[in-house]
Amino acid sequence: MSQILDVRTLVSIVNYCTAEHVCNLLPRLIEQIDIDCDRIIIVDNMSPDGSYAKIKSFVSESQYDQYVLVILAERNGGFSYGNNLAIKEAKDKFMNSPEYVWLLNPDTSLLDDALTNLLNFAEEHSRAGIIGSRLEDEAGRPQRSSFRFHSLKSELLSGLRLGITDKLFHRYLVSSKDIPSQPEVVDWLAGASMFIRYSIIDDIGLMDENYFLYYEETDYCLQAQRSGWQCWYVPSSRVIHYVGQSTGIVSGDSLRRRRPKYWFQSRQYYFLKNYGFFYTILADLSWGVMFTIHKVLDMIRLRFKNDTKYLWLDFWRNSIFFSWLDRF
């Protein structure tokens, strides 16, 4: 039954086959929320491993039912779909919109005052619409979690992957060389810990469910900025991130696992939606040609094991030039 409750922060966690991580995260998360005005909704995206039952049982046994709701999605619709479902469910259940929505990955763990520091910063900066935490590994080493928007120049550099050009034109790279030690305005933030002022949702709507996974947070930050909101990276909010537990895609992965088709589809959709058809052609051409040069240079230098498996073939196959073949 619905109840009227003024929710300050809704924590949205979308799970897919990571029940153990969710159960490990919850006790620490609950220590940081205010149980009188914060709520947690966990959406299981139809995990085939019984995650829903495991999480539901853990919440019940731990007596978290009062402030944690676990729901089973009708399908695995991806990151945007799962978070949107949590937000809609919260509005229906509590008959009020929360003040903030914290998108939090299941493969995370919170350090002291991670939520408090996000809340304090949001209260002090009224135009800070989206705030991202400092993500780090278990040893405390920071992970890149704030970025620049993709552009033709960034695609050229990303494809070529040449150290000297990255140094010369570092201001065009999506990933900055230096990780900020102080709060700063950035283009976009990693979705593993993304704190959103609900006013943004009132302004631009929910996240685009045409993205299954990847680029959805980039797109959402872009839409927010186009509407006059700021995106801030706030390193005082520290979150441990066990990267790639759900997807298997890990930066620097020694196994060089093949990128899934939805990664390429999300990239193409992002460029088409935000910059148009001809820009997307130029973006694909820029990356594809530069990556071809990169592979030729690798052959000359007898280096064959430093790239994701089948990346050259998969990129061209899923580029705007050939992706239409999927229709047949």
Side-chain angles (χ1 to χ4, degrees), residues 35-312:
I35 60 174
D36 293 326
C37 60
D38 297 333
R39 291 296 181 266
I40 302 165
I41 295 184
I42 303 166
V43 175
D44 184 72
N45 260 352
M46 284 291 289
S47 301
D49 67 346
S51 283
Y52 173 73
K54 294 174 187 175
I55 298 170
K56 188 86 171 171
S57 176
F58 178 81
V59 168
S60 178
E61 291 172 2
S62 303
Q63 299 183 334
Y64 294 156
D65 308 73
Q66 182 181 348
Y67 27 85
V68 180
L69 176 64
V70 186
I71 60 178
L72 180 64
E74 295 180 353
R75 59 188 176 88
N76 180 15
F79 182 78
S80 294
Y81 166 82
N83 283 303
N84 289 349
L85 185 59
I87 294 167
K88 294 173 187 175
E89 183 70 21
K91 194 168 183 179
D92 289 343
K93 182 174 179 60
F94 306 121
M95 302 178 68
N96 271 315
S97 299
E99 190 174 353
Y100 301 101
V101 177
W102 189 13
L103 310 186
L104 190 61
N105 267 24
D107 55 351
T108 57
S109 180
L110 307 183
L111 296 176
D112 290 344
D113 298 323
L115 175 56
T116 298
N117 290 332
L118 291 171
L119 282 165
N120 290 342
F121 191 89
E123 292 297 319
E124 294 166 4
H125 298 78
S126 61
R127 297 311 298 170
I130 303 178
I131 305 169
S133 304
R134 166 189 158 114
L135 303 179
E136 54 189 66
D137 64 17
E138 294 175 86
R141 293 183 293 261
Q143 301 167 358
R144 298 194 187 280
S145 49
S146 63
F147 308 91
R148 301 184 182 98
F149 289 127
H150 300 264
S151 66
L152 294 180
K153 292 174 182 176
S154 73
E155 294 304 287
L156 284 166
L157 293 169
S158 174
L160 186 56
R161 304 182 178 201
L162 199 59
I164 188 170
T165 55
D166 286 351
K167 289 180 181 178
L168 289 172
F169 304 104
H170 61 90
R171 64 186 179 278
Y172 301 120
L173 293 170
V174 172
S175 297
S176 175
K177 180 181 179 181
D178 299 317
I179 297 177
S181 58
Q182 298 296 323
E184 69 172 37
V185 176
V186 299
D187 283 349
W188 63 278
L189 298 152
S193 175
M194 181 182 282
F195 194 74
I196 302 171
R197 193 184 299 272
Y198 199 88
S199 301
I200 284 188
I201 299 174
D202 287 333
D203 192 4
I204 66 173
L206 296 168
M207 298 181 80
D208 190 336
E209 294 182 16
N210 288 303
Y211 296 99
F212 178 75
L213 194 60
Y214 295 100
Y215 284 86
E216 64 277 274
E217 70 266 61
T218 317
D219 178 73
Y220 203 68
C221 289
L222 179 58
Q223 308 313 317
Q225 289 196 30
R226 286 177 172 175
S227 292
W229 295 96
Q230 295 174 336
C231 296
W232 281 83
Y233 170 74
V234 178
S236 61
S237 172
R238 298 171 59 202
V239 174
I240 298 173
H241 185 209
Y242 308 99
V243 183
Q245 295 300 311
S246 296
T247 66
I249 299 179
V250 182
S251 178
D253 184 4
S254 61
L255 298 178
R256 301 179 297 121
R257 280 168 279 209
R258 193 173 188 174
R259 286 185 184 173
K261 189 175 185 63
Y262 58 74
W263 187 94
F264 298 98
Q265 292 171 331
S266 291
R267 176 188 175 277
Q268 184 179 125
Y269 178 69
Y270 172 80
F271 278 115
L272 284 170
K273 173 184 176 179
N274 293 297
Y275 302 106
F277 181 73
F278 292 107
Y279 194 99
T280 305
I281 289 176
L282 292 174
D284 280 7
L285 194 62
S286 298
W287 195 94
V289 170
M290 289 299 102
F291 190 66
T292 301
I293 294 172
H294 162 78
K295 296 303 290 182
V296 170
L297 291 175
D298 270 3
M299 291 176 66
I300 293 171
R301 293 178 293 183
L302 301 178
R303 292 173 56 187
F304 303 107
K305 296 183 177 180
N306 61 331
D307 290 313
T308 302
K309 287 182 178 179
Y310 310 110
L311 184 55
W312 184 88

